[in-house]
Amino acid sequence: MSEIEIDGESLTPEDVERVARDDATVFVPEDVRERVRTARKRVEQVVESGEAVYGVNTGFGELVDERIPREDIETLQTNLIRSHAAGAGRELRREEVRAMMLGRVNALVKGYSGIRELVVDQLVTMLNEGVHPVVKSRGSLGASGDLAPLAHLALVIMGEGTATVDGERLDGADALETAGLEPVTLAAKEGLALINGTQLSVGLAALAVRDAERAIRAADVAGALTTEVTMGTTASADPVIADVRPHDGHAKSARNVKRLTADSEIVESHRNCDRVQDAYSLRCLPQVHGAVRDAVAHLRGVVEIELNSATDNPLIFPADTVNSRASGAGDAAVLSGGNFHGDPLALPLDYLTNAVTELAAISERRVDRMLNPNTQEPHLPPFLTEHSGLRSGYMIAQYTAAALLNENRSIGRASMDNTPVSGNQEDHVSMSAQSAYNARRAVANALSIVGIELLCGAQAAEFVSDDLAHGVGTAAAYEAVREVVPPLVEDRPIHEDISAAETLVWSGLLEERVSNALSEPLD
């Protein structure tokens, strides 16, 4: 696997996933390093001048008016990290820590943070050598950035705290030693530069984008199979319908349905039946799935901007690029602002939670249409099992889908809350990290529900005439399910079936098999 270049400008959600989940390594090119060195020189000019500048030689938050003597500046940065490592709750998962580390490196190398190249290299080596700080998940308010989680990360840079290496928990100094590193004593501005950013929020958001995109494509596959095995029509996915209401997501989901069911003898077999219209969960698939696609696309755009943004405070600029109200000295202009505020992420993350809950809802309704004897088609037995009554078939799979859907509907919208902190100096916060946790939970539940729909669709196919062929893509989907779940004949513990279907969706194997059959990727 090739290395990923970290340049502060071009990091993508795909890159985050490769580093976080697949352990891709990273490097910082020389021209980018020069930006880091230049910004550091500007910080050193400020230190030499003795001018009071926030984050360099003052206290933090409500203590901003407290001037720190020059001889105590290193102690100030160390104390900042120690005092802010105040998290609680579960520990971040490995992929979450790696996503946060990657995002922080990328933000620092933009050249506006004033951190030393040494610290950047410490982070890069930790990431490449698998030194993963143990980070408590709760504590961030999404302003001033993800302070507490990032402080847990920064502790290990200093040789403190705890890290895991190859699954073994070590204290910070011992963990660094496994990678040939020594603890770093933080200099002026560096403690604040390490923790004053949105990298937990955006790292989680990047992973949520990738998982949500996977969920949408899988839902298109499951929905197409459901349409087919319930003798629904694909006329509602005709491109002319999308043309007169040209939402991009609608067009893509409609196109997927048409491609997935191409050459379907099952669909063709009832072209002239007496059913006038399908239920909304089938007929409105392109519109609903498409709206979810558009919501995820919006978040993707935000994440791509945020991944490549300078989000700490204060920021260091060339003096000739800012107005005279900036503090600083020599070539350095230091501006305090609010780029650490997580609302640009929190709001679209809550939007994602809403959107994937809708995806889960329409998928659950399609599950019911396959199982429910009051709504299913005549060729399907109750709960997709022969001798129903004696057997329950997949009855309780719909209960599980309903429970997961209820959980999504009960998730709050964190960005709507605000709790002032730091003596009311920080009187409006974003809660972006909680929005990210919520969104990832909602996406995971939606993926599970789509897996249940796929499972039921494959079982419903067992009751369709063997003389009728599936579509090109739906046949591949059916075969992918049957490779991991046999047809349900006798009742059995179906949690194993559900788990296998979930894995098929989560892993991307379903999408791979279907795309291979179509000879091109799904939209």
Side-chain angles (χ1 to χ4, degrees), residues 148-159:
L150 285 166
H152 282 275
L153 185 159
L155 277 176
V156 179
I157 294 172
M158 297 162 39

Side-chain angles (χ1 to χ4, degrees), residues 95-399:
E95 67 175 32
E96 294 169 332
V97 172
R98 288 183 65 81
M100 180 170 66
M101 293 171 72
L102 174 64
R104 197 70 208 118
V105 172
N106 198 56
L108 292 172
V109 301
K110 288 188 71 67
Y112 300 102
S113 301
I115 203 161
R116 286 175 296 168
E117 192 176 3
L118 168 69
V119 182
V120 170
D121 285 337
Q122 187 92 334
L123 269 170
V124 167
T125 303
M126 287 168 60
L127 195 56
N128 288 343
E129 297 298 323
V131 177
H132 303 127
V134 173
V135 178
K136 293 288 189 177
S137 60
R138 266 54 182 186
S140 171
L141 304 181
S144 298
D146 298 316
L147 290 173
L150 285 166
H152 282 275
L153 185 159
L155 277 176
V156 179
I157 294 172
M158 297 162 39
E160 301 182 15
T162 306
T164 62
V165 180
D166 295 328
E168 182 181 3
R169 294 173 74 96
L170 302 171
D171 66 48
D174 289 342
L176 292 178
E177 187 177 358
T178 67
L181 297 172
E182 296 181 356
V184 170
T185 299
L186 300 179
K189 177 67 170 61
E190 291 183 330
L192 197 57
L194 284 168
I195 69 174
N196 211 195
T198 60
Q199 278 61 55
L200 172 62
S201 298
V202 75
L204 298 177
L207 295 175
V209 165
R210 295 293 291 150
D211 292 337
E213 290 171 341
R214 196 169 286 119
I216 294 166
R217 291 189 291 268
D220 285 351
V221 174
L225 181 59
T226 300
T227 299
E228 194 177 51
V229 298
T230 59
M231 303 300 172
T233 179
T234 60
S236 56
D238 195 292
V240 298
I241 296 177
D243 288 346
V244 296
R245 195 191 190 195
H247 292 289
D248 185 59
H250 173 173
K252 288 180 177 178
S253 282
R255 180 169 180 262
N256 277 346
V257 170
K258 282 293 193 181
R259 293 161 62 204
L260 288 158
T261 57
D263 302 327
S264 172
E265 294 177 358
I266 300 172
V267 171
E268 188 63 27
S269 70
H270 56 89
R271 178 182 292 276
N272 298 314
C273 69
D274 58 2
R275 188 192 306 176
V276 177
Q277 291 182 330
D278 290 328
Y280 280 5
S281 58
L282 299 174
R283 187 173 11 133
C284 299
L285 181 158
Q287 289 81 3
V288 176
H289 288 203
V292 178
R293 281 178 172 275
D294 292 340
V296 177
H298 175 66
L299 177 60
R300 170 178 273 275
V302 169
V303 167
E304 288 175 346
I305 292 171
E306 192 76 4
L307 282 172
N308 297 290
S309 295
T311 55
D312 52 294
N313 177 63
L315 293 169
I316 315 298
F317 297 93
D320 60 1
T321 64
V322 300
N323 65 46
S324 58
R325 292 185 62 82
S327 57
D331 183 42
V334 184
L335 285 174
S336 288
N339 276 10
F340 52 70
H341 201 286
D343 259 358
L345 286 167
L347 296 175
L349 279 164
D350 282 354
Y351 180 20
L352 177 68
T353 297
N354 291 341
V356 296
T357 299
E358 274 296 280
L359 189 72
I362 196 170
S363 179
E364 184 276 333
R365 287 294 79 205
R366 291 193 296 261
V367 169
D368 183 70
R369 296 204 76 80
M370 287 186 281
L371 297 174
N372 187 341
N374 297 305
T375 59
Q376 66 187 173
E377 295 304 308
H379 67 286
L380 298 176
F383 306 108
L384 300 179
T385 184
E386 294 178 344
H387 306 296
S388 56
L390 176 63
R391 300 172 186 157
S392 294
Y394 278 124
M395 176 193 291
I396 308 303
Q398 192 241 335
Y399 286 44

Side-chain angles (χ1 to χ4, degrees), residues 80-93:
L80 175 69
I81 301 304
R82 289 172 176 165
S83 65
H84 283 54
R90 70 166 177 86
E91 294 172 0
L92 290 182
R93 301 181 185 95

